[in-house]
Amino acid sequence: MVRVTTTNRRGALRAGAGLVAGGALATGCGAGRDALSAATPGSAPPARASGHPTATSHAAPAPRAYPGQPAQITHGPRTRPQVALTFHGQGDPDSAESLLNAAEQRGARLTVLAVGTWLDEHPGLARRILDGGHDLGNHTQRHVSVNDLAEPEARKEITDCAERLTRLTGSIGTWFRPSRSPTASALVTRLARAAGYPHVLSYDLDSLDYTRPGADAVTRKVLAEVRGGSVVSLHFGYPDTVAALPAVLHELDRRGLRAVTTTELLS
């Protein structure tokens, strides 16, 4: 054990002050990439590479039941001027950062349904999403056609991703969405509930951004069909989506529709 003396205590305090001063001066789905880009100016700070919560991280919320809502939720209340933009969490982490930054700069919040293998490759993005004020949920471990699997394999797809989320954030995530299908089979719905998700999150508006139709086509599709309570399906990993989001958010704002998390939409 090192004995703390008056001399080395003073040295430690001086070193700590120097560190503080120095710190003040320093500052389907697409295929994944290997590197996470640095956040752009004005964005939330990136999470630690380990993905473990920091002292300033938001607590990761758990799933909750919404009385009166069906087992599979497709939209929120039509009487509220709010919509939920939900993203399949897979693909290029740079595009994920760009979309999160663009939303945050306009005061919008997203819902991200993350694929477990994507979290394995980019663990810091789990806390990055939560620390930006967004919802984070489960989109299965490997993004396979979960409705077509036998019960043990389907259960494992759900629980493996839930375990990744728990390890990285302390929660299984607020939502579950089946992979390769807008809705879950009766079996997958039951397995999701057993894993801790009272509802399956579907959607009522498919942007079709994964077909790579161009940013203008994505924008037109969303704005032609969106209305109060809409849950919109979008994807990380597609340049068209990155290019379309600012125009979508601008027009939603002009129409008086706020982009909120699905939790807020249903609360």
Side-chain angles (χ1 to χ4, degrees):
M1 179 180 295
V2 177
R3 183 181 178 188
V4 179
T5 66
T6 302
T7 301
N8 61 31
R9 183 183 295 113
R10 287 173 180 166
L13 290 172
R14 285 195 297 269
L19 288 173
V20 171
L25 293 173
T27 52
C29 296
R33 284 173 57 183
D34 295 331
L36 176 64
S37 66
T40 57
S43 69
R48 292 179 179 177
S50 68
H52 294 302
T54 66
T56 57
S57 294
H58 297 287
R64 54 180 286 195
Y66 293 87
Q69 290 289 346
Q72 299 204 55
I73 294 173
T74 58
H75 63 81
R78 295 300 190 188
T79 55
R80 296 181 186 172
Q82 298 175 332
V83 299
L85 304 180
T86 68
F87 286 78
H88 300 237
Q90 193 180 32
D92 179 9
D94 291 352
S95 80
E97 284 284 355
S98 296
L99 288 161
L100 293 168
N101 291 337
E104 290 159 14
Q105 288 165 6
R106 292 162 176 79
R109 294 298 178 262
L110 312 177
T111 299
V112 180
L113 294 312
V115 175
T117 53
W118 186 68
L119 294 176
D120 289 340
E121 294 172 3
H122 313 291
L125 281 174
R127 292 304 323 184
R128 166 68 184 90
I129 290 162
L130 288 172
D131 290 348
H134 311 283
D135 273 0
L136 178 63
N138 179 332
H139 196 38
T140 74
Q141 177 61 18
R142 297 177 297 145
H143 201 258
V144 295
S145 183
V146 67
N147 287 340
D148 296 332
L149 298 178
E151 182 169 342
E153 288 76 22
R155 179 186 294 109
K156 183 173 174 58
E157 281 296 315
I158 298 168
T159 58
D160 280 3
C161 187
E163 288 168 3
R164 288 338 184 256
L165 287 164
T166 301
R167 174 171 52 82
L168 293 171
T169 72
S171 166
I172 65 172
T174 47
W175 300 101
F176 168 75
R177 173 173 287 170
S179 47
R180 305 288 183 181
S181 176
T183 57
S185 67
L187 171 62
V188 170
T189 301
R190 175 170 62 80
L191 294 174
R193 180 177 290 274
Y197 303 97
H199 304 278
V200 170
L201 180 60
S202 184
Y203 46 87
D204 65 326
L205 199 170
D206 190 347
S207 70
L208 300 178
D209 58 347
Y210 59 90
T211 66
R212 304 176 187 268
D216 289 345
V218 173
T219 302
R220 286 195 302 271
K221 180 77 162 60
V222 172
L223 296 178
E225 299 179 22
V226 71
R227 55 183 173 135
S230 286
V231 176
V232 185
S233 172
L234 296 148
H235 293 74
F236 286 167
Y238 292 89
D240 292 348
T241 313
V242 176
L245 186 62
V248 168
L249 291 173
H250 175 79
E251 180 60 19
L252 289 177
D253 185 62
R254 192 189 69 80
R255 296 182 189 181
L257 293 171
R258 291 179 57 235
V260 299
T261 64
T262 308
T263 298
E264 185 174 352
L265 181 71
L266 296 168
S267 298

